Amino acid sequence: MAFDSLFQPGTIGALTLRNRVVKSPNTTATCNADGTVTPRTVNHYRRLGEGGTGLVMVEYTYVDDDASKSIHGQPGASRQDHVAGLGWLADEVRSTGAAIGLQLVHSGRQRFLGTHPMKSASSSSWDVAEAPFGVVPTPLTVEEIAGVVRSFGEAAARAWAARFDLVEIHAGHGYMITNFLSPHTNDRSDDYGGSFENRARILLEIVDSVRAHVPREFPLSVRLSVSDYEPDGIVIEETVELCRLLEQHGVDVIHASGGYHAKQEWEVSSWYMPRQPHRWGWEKIKSAVSVPVIASGSLVTPQIADEVLRSGSADFVSLGRAMLADPSWAEKAREGRQLEIVPCIRCNDGCLERGLDQKRSVGCTVNPEVAEEGRFPLGTAPAPKRVAVAGGGPAGLRAAAALHDRGHTVVLFEPGELGGALNHALGSTVKQDLAGLREHLVHEVTRRGIEIRTVTADAASLTDGFDEVVIATGAPQRAFPGPVAESAPVLGPGDITNRREELAGRRVVVVGGGFQGCESALRLAELPGTTVLVLERGERLMRGNEVKYDALVLPGRLAEAGVEVRMGCEVVAVEDKGVRLHAADGSEGTVEVDAVVLALGREPAQGTLAAKLCEAGVPVVTIGSAAVPGPVYDALHTAYFTARRI
């Protein structure tokens, strides 16, 4: 499939780009504490340029040394001594043929350093950023606003001096400028609060300051949220009018995104959210301005991104996490190798949950090398081996491909359909990202011509001529602890995919309100006419070690999908026509349904196969959920790093 629209040259002001693909500015947190860049920073962005991107946008960069810094490891453009490192970064990226832009920001109330001061439009509070540290925002004075406006202009001049190709003002996602734009966070009564004109004033003053500090031919972008998705927040009519004003003040391109940190499901949309969620907004902007519009937000596949351009919906497409997952996204799309693109599964586990939220640098579930480019190459093994991989799930598929690339002869044992636990995502819209990962991993094994034996691996087969064995057989489903009638209509979460037609229009109860139960309920709710009830014995859903973004948002998504949830209900038996339960108040009852999905999570595997191999003297290593039940992140990372050691 050709994606011609993606790879036409494009123009932003006086800047011509080699294609229409923009790497949006994701935080990497790879800089020094003083805001200077490091080799890790440079290597990361150079790799993105090498991957064929047209414009590489560098992450949000603070503009002053007072209150604009937002997070650890953030780059700075607040002082002259930042210019040398920024110039090094710009030169390295430009050497790849890509253009490079620098995004400028003031953190506002989204300051995650735990230090004073935190300054915003008003004292509007957000406990996630403030409660852990006891820091609350103080309203910027008019004099301080003038200083911030000047700082943006001076920082833009430093970007120009460092030879960036473009500079961008971050006016979205809940940072300081958004704090002024949104009535939800701006309760001022002076010239910077109240009416739309007043709330927009600071942004227009910043634009004018930037224009006064850099040559007119230096392209200026503004990134904004089409809406913050708050009931009393930014409305699209104001955003459209704001974009008209921005064009009049000399802005060359509008970079349209959406949401903010307190509405994270819209800013960094997870797997259960629709793709391209802000399209409705950027199309209204595009119809109102003559400058180009960059579309942003879950444009994860070349098919989606190309259609956005081909239809005239936007002029450029911006991808963030998708290029953390695969920095060669653009090059592979251009060459028609879309199945080789490592897909972002929008899990927010590697990048946020285990990365930035832990005060680490950014990570990625599907790309163990992100922010560590060049440090963990697969390389070639010193001595080729004959290696058996038992299990064709995500860990086994990833390990088999990586072992092959290291020069080993690999035999993959899988008696069923390749994909393992990922196969539950097939046919489900809500799990389409995970289904894409399954398709990619299977493709990577088959295109390498790796031998696949469709039998169950046992000790005899794995000791027959193999130098080493990798066990990737996954983890078994946790058994229901109570009695189950022989004729009870019981299913596991993995059975939903192949019985979708049978379950459509039926009454289904899901036993278990953890992650597995919630995602199973969402998949069932997609089926026409299906009534879904989740029974959870605890006081709240998702009480385990789930990604917190899922735990915060999934209950609401279940409600929107029409799923009924009952808390404090322990299922004690599965009967012929339903389940018997004990409620928290001591009452008992029976729920009659057509099917029962037991979604109680997974439990550790027995490990008997590995033990037998050890007794036989065969080197063996166990990876993924076969070692410790866990999410896809653990499967893929243990697979990759195990393969590097063999």
Side-chain angles (χ1 to χ4, degrees), residues 316-521:
F316 295 85
V317 288
S318 165
L319 298 97
R321 290 169 295 169
M323 288 190 184
L324 297 181
D326 194 335
S328 294
W329 189 98
E331 178 184 16
K332 291 176 181 177
R334 182 177 60 82
E335 295 175 354
R337 298 186 289 135
Q338 60 266 32
L339 284 179
E340 294 180 34
I341 293 174
V342 183
C344 171
I345 58 174
R346 299 195 297 163
C347 63
N348 290 332
D349 192 0
C351 52
L352 298 180
E353 181 82 6
R354 306 194 200 199
L356 299 172
D357 292 352
Q358 303 303 321
K359 314 308 176 190
R360 293 171 56 91
S361 299
V362 73
C364 181
T365 288
V366 298
N367 179 11
E369 294 186 274
V370 73
E372 300 287 0
E373 286 79 5
R375 289 196 63 200
F376 303 120
L378 280 176
T380 302
K385 294 181 178 180
R386 184 171 169 81
V387 183
V389 177
L397 292 168
R398 186 68 183 95
L403 288 163
H404 175 276
D405 291 349
R406 280 183 54 74
H408 299 303
T409 299
V410 182
V411 178
L412 178 64
F413 289 79
E414 173 52 59
E417 186 179 7
L418 291 177
L422 297 179
N423 291 331
H424 80 274
L426 297 175
S428 169
T429 299
V430 76
K431 299 305 289 285
Q432 61 186 322
D433 299 311
L434 213 55
L437 176 63
R438 183 259 181 201
E439 186 178 22
H440 162 74
L441 291 173
V442 171
H443 176 74
E444 291 302 283
V445 165
T446 55
R447 80 178 179 91
R448 286 168 169 81
I450 293 171
E451 181 183 349
I452 301 170
R453 297 185 185 176
T454 55
V455 296
T456 300
D458 56 20
S461 60
L462 294 177
T463 54
D464 184 17
F466 292 106
D467 301 306
E468 197 149 351
V469 175
V470 176
I471 303 294
T473 47
Q477 187 71 19
R478 181 173 285 112
F480 179 71
V484 178
E486 186 175 343
S487 59
V490 172
L491 305 172
D495 298 323
I496 297 171
T497 299
N498 294 327
R499 299 178 67 172
R500 290 168 63 86
E501 291 186 8
E502 175 187 337
L503 293 170
R506 312 305 290 264
R507 297 167 300 162
V508 184
V509 65
V510 177
V511 180
F515 176 80
Q516 190 182 71
C518 290
E519 69 87 15
S520 296

Side-chain angles (χ1 to χ4, degrees), residues 76-358:
S78 60
R79 303 186 303 277
Q80 203 62 30
D81 59 6
H82 286 133
V83 174
L86 291 173
W88 171 30
L89 173 59
D91 289 348
E92 292 273 4
V93 173
R94 294 177 72 185
S95 73
T96 68
I100 182 170
L102 185 69
Q103 186 184 75
L104 303 177
V105 75
H106 187 294
S107 66
R109 74 175 194 168
Q110 290 179 177
R111 180 174 168 91
F112 304 104
L113 298 171
T115 58
H116 294 278
M118 178 186 287
K119 296 181 180 180
S120 181
S122 58
S123 58
S124 173
S125 180
W126 182 41
D127 59 359
V128 173
E130 299 147 20
F133 314 112
V135 181
V136 296
T138 57
L140 285 157
T141 67
V142 173
E143 293 75 17
E144 287 175 324
I145 289 173
V148 169
V149 168
R150 183 172 60 254
S151 293
F152 269 93
E154 292 171 349
R158 295 182 188 108
W160 166 259
R163 284 185 235 161
F164 278 78
D165 296 298
L166 173 147
V167 70
E168 179 170 272
I169 298 166
H170 197 355
H173 293 169
Y175 297 100
M176 184 210 70
I177 296 174
T178 321
N179 300 158
F180 278 86
L181 291 174
S182 176
H184 182 72
T185 50
N186 185 344
D187 59 11
R188 300 174 72 104
S189 58
D190 62 4
D191 288 345
Y192 294 93
S195 67
F196 163 71
E197 291 76 15
N198 283 355
R199 287 181 280 113
R201 188 181 308 279
I202 188 171
L203 175 55
L204 297 177
E205 289 179 350
I206 287 171
V207 168
D208 292 345
S209 177
V210 169
R211 274 281 158 246
H213 279 84
V214 299
R216 181 59 188 87
E217 65 268 20
F218 190 38
L220 173 58
S221 170
V222 170
R223 193 175 203 200
L224 45 72
S225 295
V226 299
S227 172
D228 54 5
Y229 295 95
E230 289 286 1
D232 59 344
I234 298 170
V235 296
I236 189 61
E237 292 78 12
E238 289 188 351
T239 303
V240 170
E241 179 58 27
L242 178 63
C243 291
R244 291 193 185 101
L245 294 171
L246 291 172
E247 181 176 7
Q248 294 171 15
H249 281 252
V251 170
D252 298 296
V253 63
I254 303 295
H255 192 172
S257 185
Y260 75 119
H261 280 27
K263 291 288 186 180
Q264 195 87 352
E265 67 270 28
W266 294 104
E267 180 188 351
V268 192
S269 299
S270 292
W271 54 271
Y272 45 78
M273 294 291 288
R275 293 170 172 179
Q276 49 181 333
H278 314 304
R279 182 169 183 154
W280 66 275
W282 75 58
E283 289 184 343
K284 291 180 182 296
I285 293 170
K286 181 168 170 54
S287 66
V289 299
S290 59
V291 295
V293 172
I294 304 173
S296 181
S298 290
L299 308 178
V300 290
T301 70
Q303 291 89 339
I304 293 173
D306 186 74
E307 190 280 328
V308 167
L309 299 180
R310 191 163 24 87
S311 66
S313 177
D315 303 288
F316 295 85
V317 288
S318 165
L319 298 97
R321 290 169 295 169
M323 288 190 184
L324 297 181
D326 194 335
S328 294
W329 189 98
E331 178 184 16
K332 291 176 181 177
R334 182 177 60 82
E335 295 175 354
R337 298 186 289 135
Q338 60 266 32
L339 284 179
E340 294 180 34
I341 293 174
V342 183
C344 171
I345 58 174
R346 299 195 297 163
C347 63
N348 290 332
D349 192 0
C351 52
L352 298 180
E353 181 82 6
R354 306 194 200 199
L356 299 172
D357 292 352
Q358 303 303 321

Side-chain angles (χ1 to χ4, degrees), residues 27-96:
T27 306
T28 68
T30 56
C31 289
N32 292 312
D34 64 357
T36 53
V37 303
T38 68
R40 289 175 69 206
T41 315
V42 173
N43 292 341
H44 173 74
Y45 286 105
R46 183 181 61 238
R47 179 67 184 84
L48 289 163
E50 292 169 346
T53 308
L55 172 62
V56 175
M57 289 299 306
V58 174
E59 64 204 85
Y60 68 164
T61 301
Y62 62 88
V63 298
D64 66 40
D65 293 324
D66 178 27
S68 71
K69 186 175 182 179
S70 177
I71 198 171
H72 61 280
Q74 185 179 3
S78 60
R79 303 186 303 277
Q80 203 62 30
D81 59 6
H82 286 133
V83 174
L86 291 173
W88 171 30
L89 173 59
D91 289 348
E92 292 273 4
V93 173
R94 294 177 72 185
S95 73
T96 68

